Amino acid sequence: MKTSAGILLFKRDQNHLYYFLVHPGGPFWKHKDEGAWSIPKGEISPDEDPLERALIEFKEETGQSVEGEFIPLQPVKQKGGKTVYAWALEKDIETSGLYSNTVEIEWPPRSSAMIEIPEVDQWEWFESAEAQKRINIAQAGFITELEKILKEKE
């Protein structure tokens, strides 16, 4: 079964929490919004360190490197069966200068025609309630868990 690793970036503004989410690029995702957004993440090879992969994917999908005190979160299983590992990190990044690597996909499916698409086509900060609507339903568990952890630290 496939596994991925990613980073859930968050920031605080007064009493609000904001989450940094990415929207997948390409024609399949073009008109999808609620439930389509994700943490920046990517597939892990069996011999790879999951946090290292998460950091590589963050850089590939945003053009930015992040470092700091990572908070490990419980892995979640998405509807398609993929397990996603995540670490939360409190950090603010400006979205205007972000860029994504590109990937080649077959489009339309089974056409043998290849097109190059950005892996990510949008980056945005969402307030907690909005983030939970936009993010892949399984990944919403990361937000819930992080908010519980942060409350316990207060």
Side-chain angles (χ1 to χ4, degrees):
M1 205 38 74
K2 291 183 176 172
T3 56
S4 282
I7 305 291
L8 174 62
L9 222 54
F10 71 99
K11 64 181 180 179
R12 303 172 214 232
D13 184 17
Q14 284 121 13
N15 294 333
H16 297 283
L17 282 168
Y18 292 85
Y19 297 95
F20 176 80
L21 301 178
V22 298
H23 185 271
F28 178 80
W29 297 100
K30 193 176 179 89
H31 300 293
K32 293 178 170 54
D33 189 45
E34 279 194 12
W37 292 72
S38 172
I39 63 172
K41 64 173 180 43
E43 276 187 35
I44 313 168
S45 305
D47 57 344
E48 218 171 4
D49 176 78
L51 179 54
E52 271 181 39
R53 171 48 56 193
L55 293 170
I56 291 166
E57 291 296 330
F58 193 93
K59 175 121 173 87
E60 286 181 356
E61 295 182 6
T62 67
Q64 301 270 315
S65 295
V66 290
E67 54 187 38
E69 194 177 319
F70 294 96
I71 303 166
L73 300 171
Q74 291 298 314
V76 299
K77 194 179 274 294
Q78 295 185 165
K79 197 168 68 179
K82 180 185 283 184
T83 300
V84 181
Y85 293 86
W87 288 263
L89 176 65
E90 187 167 3
K91 187 173 184 70
D92 192 359
I93 63 170
E94 173 55 51
T95 57
S96 63
L98 300 181
Y99 59 89
S100 172
N101 61 335
T102 58
V103 292
E104 273 205 340
I105 64 163
E106 184 182 26
W107 194 266
R110 294 179 293 287
S111 66
S112 300
M114 300 302 284
I115 61 168
E116 194 171 322
I117 61 162
E119 202 167 343
V120 168
D121 63 9
Q122 293 177 66
W123 305 262
E124 213 168 308
W125 286 99
F126 295 105
E127 197 269 319
S128 181
E130 187 63 23
Q132 293 201 26
K133 269 192 253 173
R134 301 282 184 109
I135 199 168
N136 173 299
I137 189 78
Q139 292 180 36
F142 294 142
I143 295 172
T144 307
E145 181 185 359
L146 177 62
E147 291 183 358
K148 192 174 162 213
I149 291 168
L150 295 174
K151 268 198 176 56
E152 289 167 1
K153 286 185 176 179
E154 282 175 8

